[in-house]
Amino acid sequence: MKFTIIASLLLGCVLSSFAQPKQKLQTTNQPVKDPAFDRITDTLNLPRILLIGDSISMGYTVPVRKLLKDKANVHRIPENGGPTSNGLAKMKVWLGESRWDVIHFNFGLHDLRLVTPGKQRVSPEAYEKNLRELVRQLQETKAKLIWATTTPVPPGPFSTLGRATEDVPIYNAVAAKVMEENGIVTDDLYAFALPQLSKIQKPVNVHYTEEGYEVLAKKVAASIEPFLPKSK
């Protein structure tokens, strides 16, 4: 009798478990959208700013928006800008048909990335040629253009950084020539960040700490603010 009761209870538990709806397992590897890519709803009568750049610019996008709140609508391209070759392929799409008052832009870290030791993804010569065409396209917008110099690459192993520290000044010099010839203002993030890398940059990394991006954002916002047209 006891055996029959116990068997019935066990059978009931088994059937009950099958009757329960299966719950989906929670995954923790889902990609998280970077808040830098959040769609911005313009505040009427405020100037429109466009940030173009790689992951460094992604890091300072949100702090710049906060610093220029109620002063400008700060947009950015919806991706990591990558090398100048990517900019050439997508610039017209990034600019769209919108009116831009100020465009703060940069290319460099992905251009000087090493494919093999001593060979960059985009050579300095190709970098100059690409920059000239990008500048031409940007000038067609009639926006105020601000070039941001490429930020420093700290000393470290090729396998970790994939870049050479000494290449950054070379590419910045190439860009300086192009910008000077075209009368484009420069936001020198390289010279600004270099003396304080140990405080604002991650160890053996081209990226910055959260506090570091806040520091860069203040420099970027300060470079943009003088060129903001008055609210209409």
Side-chain angles (χ1 to χ4, degrees):
M1 184 67 178
K2 287 183 179 181
F3 176 78
T4 302
I5 293 173
I6 292 173
S8 298
L9 289 172
L10 289 173
L11 179 61
C13 290
V14 171
L15 292 175
S16 176
S17 66
F18 280 109
Q20 295 295 326
K22 292 183 179 180
Q23 295 182 349
K24 293 182 179 180
L25 294 175
Q26 296 294 323
T27 57
T28 58
N29 60 349
Q30 295 296 321
V32 178
K33 180 183 176 183
D34 193 307
F37 299 142
D38 287 349
R39 184 179 294 275
I40 300 303
T41 301
D42 282 344
T43 298
L44 292 177
N45 301 324
L46 289 184
R48 305 183 77 248
I49 314 302
L50 178 62
L51 301 180
I52 298 175
D54 51 32
S55 56
I56 306 302
S57 75
M58 287 164 55
Y60 59 64
T61 292
V62 173
V64 168
R65 283 178 181 152
K66 292 178 181 178
L67 289 167
L68 295 179
K69 184 180 180 182
D70 300 325
K71 296 180 181 179
N73 298 300
V74 181
H75 298 256
R76 73 157 286 113
I77 59 173
E79 62 179 287
N80 183 321
T84 50
S85 53
N86 188 54
L88 289 174
K90 299 178 179 177
M91 184 59 72
K92 291 183 179 179
V93 175
W94 291 343
L95 295 174
E97 300 299 324
S98 302
R99 171 188 60 79
W100 301 108
D101 294 293
V102 180
I103 298 177
H104 186 282
F105 69 110
N106 166 263
F107 294 93
L109 276 180
H110 286 264
D111 292 89
L112 57 80
R113 188 177 183 88
L114 298 170
V115 180
T116 57
K119 183 179 180 180
Q120 298 90 355
R121 185 177 187 177
V122 178
S123 69
E125 295 76 19
Y127 179 64
E128 178 177 351
K129 180 180 178 181
N130 292 349
L131 274 183
R132 290 188 183 282
E133 174 56 25
L134 288 169
V135 165
R136 186 192 67 77
Q137 293 183 29
L138 289 168
Q139 287 175 326
E140 291 180 350
T141 67
K142 306 301 181 184
K144 180 64 181 181
L145 304 181
I146 303 174
W147 167 254
T149 55
T150 298
T151 48
V153 171
F158 166 75
S159 59
T160 301
L161 296 170
R163 299 169 175 87
T165 305
E166 61 272 15
D167 280 348
V168 182
I170 295 173
Y171 280 69
N172 276 337
V174 169
K177 176 184 176 184
V178 175
M179 302 310 152
E180 184 177 354
E181 290 177 3
N182 286 276
I184 295 174
V185 173
T186 294
D187 180 10
D188 198 349
L189 293 181
Y190 177 86
F192 175 75
L194 190 61
Q196 49 184 333
L197 285 185
S198 61
K199 296 180 180 178
I200 64 176
Q201 196 175 52
K202 294 180 179 179
V204 195
N205 199 313
V206 297
H207 298 101
Y208 293 79
T209 63
E210 186 174 342
E211 294 76 14
Y213 282 121
E214 296 279 351
V215 172
L216 292 179
K218 290 179 181 178
K219 180 71 168 64
V220 173
S223 75
I224 293 173
E225 197 162 0
F227 300 105
L228 295 179
K230 293 182 180 179
S231 300
K232 297 179 182 178

